[in-house]
Amino acid sequence: TLIDTIQDNFGIPINHYVEVDFRGFQELVEAVDGVPMYFDKELRDTQTGLNITRTGCITLSADQALAFARSRHLEYEVADGAWETDGTGDLGRISRQQAFIRAAIQRAIDKGIRNPLTLNALINAGLGSVSIDESLSVDDLITLGERFRSFSPDQLRTMSLDTYFDFVGEQSILRLIDNEANEARLNIFRGVAGPDAG
């Protein structure tokens, strides 16, 4: 359904997919022995169970990483015992997930993913926890991993579409802004524009 929605609404072809559920996400984090991230504030999200109780570099465990990646109701400590809501909701979660992906890629590199044997072991460990489409093979994943051997997390480019808040009844939603910038970004994924267009 998600693939159909993306293809029908945005005209973006989806050739392959990798589906990771919560447990699979945790197992991938465990496969690289946690993901280090830097925090300049103490954070919490009572709905996901996130509880970062100190600042500095912290290696997130599988449970902490999942709570961080799922957090939509983030709060940060502003004084002893006083907490303030982050207020960015889903958009903030997307930014945090992008930062997490960069950190996870760097962790995989640090753990030796550029070594073909390590890459193969990580892919095999991951395949037990993810679902892939029928036409995507383990060899395809290894080949893809090898093509990114010299890839740096700093090279990972992320984009967000311009949106505005709206309501359908009492439900808060985001609507896509009809502008040239969004069209240029979508055209990259449609394969009709280069990566510098957005």
Side-chain angles (χ1 to χ4, degrees), residues 82-101:
W83 293 85
E84 191 166 312
T85 300
D86 171 68
T88 58
D90 286 324
L91 298 178
R93 176 173 61 179
I94 292 168
S95 296
R96 288 187 292 277
Q97 288 172 344
Q98 292 170 344
F100 179 84
I101 288 169

Side-chain angles (χ1 to χ4, degrees), residues 11-60:
I12 296 172
I14 305 297
N15 300 309
H16 299 289
Y17 71 86
V18 176
E19 180 183 349
V20 183
D21 62 17
F22 291 159
R23 184 63 206 139
F25 177 93
Q26 291 175 303
E27 288 176 4
L28 290 169
V29 171
E30 288 169 355
V32 294
D33 298 323
V35 175
M37 295 194 71
Y38 180 81
F39 296 95
D40 61 356
K41 297 180 178 77
E42 294 184 23
L43 303 175
R44 73 179 184 187
D45 184 329
T46 57
Q47 298 201 23
T48 67
L50 178 67
N51 192 23
I52 304 296
T53 58
R54 62 184 176 86
T55 59
C57 188
I58 297 171
T59 299
L60 298 178

Side-chain angles (χ1 to χ4, degrees), residues 55-72:
T55 59
C57 188
I58 297 171
T59 299
L60 298 178
S61 68
D63 290 340
Q64 290 172 316
L66 182 61
F68 178 76
R70 294 183 61 213
S71 177
R72 295 173 57 223

